[in-house]
Amino acid sequence: MTKKAQTPTVPSGNPDPNTLQLSKDPAQTDAAQIAAMALGGVAANAMTTRTFAKGTFGTLDVTECVMTLKKRVDTTHGGDLKHAETTLTAQAATLDAIFNEMARRAALNMGEYLDATERYMRLALKAQGQCRATLETLAAIKNPPVIFAKQANIAHGPQQVNNDSFRSNTRTRAHARRTETTPDELLEGPQHGSTNMDDRAATTPARGHPAVEALEPIHRPRKSRRKSGGGA
């Protein structure tokens, strides 16, 4: 004879494991304290975890679940991420197991049941993608990425300006602009009424024009007089 498996019940010191017991806060009313616990996030997630874990671990004490999760949250607030690293590592292993099982079932149906093969393969690839994303998150927690950003000179309130340094830099930039000569400037004509390309250069006298020879006479045909109707 085989015995029917019974769901174990974790013993606790509370008389009713399904009742959440809270310590009285003198600064808050009972209704405000219950509302703060319900909206805080810890109690609600503890209840959800307790419901899903019932099939594996049996009926858990709700007060102990809330207190345990509250301690883990406080540890995370303190900067200790060991529990998060443990959870991500375990989940990555579980997702990898799901991937292998779905891939195995896809291989068994391949060649005969293509529809089942495709469905199992999709589930396998989804599990593989989630496993990769979990490992990437774990790597980001262990080794945070370094961000290089340009420094922005943003200051609130009055700012002090060094006028001597500002004037010196302004003169240096102005001198540099004056000394720069572009090819277009070399080809420009005289400016400001100057008669030479360079006023400082000596003027070279121009040579006389060469002799111009006389042109040969041009023989053109004489114009014929236009005869009118009655005249000569």
Side-chain angles (χ1 to χ4, degrees):
M1 296 178 63
T2 58
K3 294 183 179 180
K4 185 180 180 180
Q6 297 180 355
T7 303
T9 302
V10 179
S12 62
N14 299 327
D16 186 5
N18 296 320
T19 303
L20 178 60
Q21 297 181 0
L22 301 176
S23 300
K24 176 61 179 175
D25 187 1
Q28 293 181 341
T29 61
D30 294 344
Q33 190 172 356
I34 294 175
M37 179 62 66
L39 299 177
V42 175
N45 284 276
M47 294 287 189
T48 304
T49 303
R50 178 174 178 266
T51 303
F52 277 94
K54 184 177 181 180
T56 304
F57 299 100
T59 303
L60 301 177
D61 186 88
V62 61
T63 304
E64 293 296 333
C65 290
V66 173
M67 298 304 296
T68 302
L69 186 58
K70 182 66 170 57
K71 291 179 181 178
R72 291 184 178 180
V73 171
D74 294 338
T75 303
T76 304
H77 289 168
D80 188 359
L81 300 177
K82 291 182 180 180
H83 175 70
E85 296 172 0
T86 303
T87 302
L88 291 174
T89 303
Q91 288 180 352
T94 303
L95 290 168
D96 183 63
I98 296 174
F99 162 75
N100 286 283
E101 178 62 20
M102 295 297 105
R104 184 186 69 83
R105 294 189 181 189
L108 292 176
N109 290 275
M110 187 176 296
E112 187 175 0
Y113 304 102
L114 296 180
D115 185 60
T117 300
E118 183 180 2
R119 292 184 180 184
Y120 280 126
M121 187 58 67
R122 286 183 178 180
L123 293 175
L125 294 178
K126 286 183 179 180
Q128 188 271 342
Q130 293 298 322
C131 180
R132 174 189 53 80
T134 303
L135 293 176
E136 288 180 353
T137 305
L138 180 62
I141 293 177
K142 297 291 291 184
N143 300 310
V146 180
I147 301 176
F148 297 94
K150 294 183 179 180
Q151 182 179 1
N153 187 13
I154 301 175
H156 299 282
Q159 300 183 20
Q160 181 179 359
V161 180
N162 190 349
N163 295 326
D164 295 337
S165 177
F166 176 77
R167 287 194 294 268
S168 177
N169 295 333
T170 304
R171 289 195 299 269
T172 303
R173 289 193 296 268
H175 178 69
R177 286 195 297 267
R178 287 196 301 270
T179 54
E180 291 179 356
T181 304
T182 60
D184 295 337
E185 294 177 354
L186 294 177
L187 297 177
E188 290 180 354
Q191 300 177 356
H192 304 292
S194 176
T195 57
N196 299 323
M197 294 292 292
D198 190 355
D199 295 338
R200 296 171 296 178
T203 304
T204 303
R207 295 179 299 173
H209 296 286
V212 180
E213 297 180 356
L215 297 178
E216 296 181 357
I218 299 176
H219 301 280
R220 297 179 180 179
R222 299 179 61 184
K223 295 183 181 179
S224 58
R225 295 182 179 179
R226 183 175 56 185
K227 296 181 180 182
S228 59

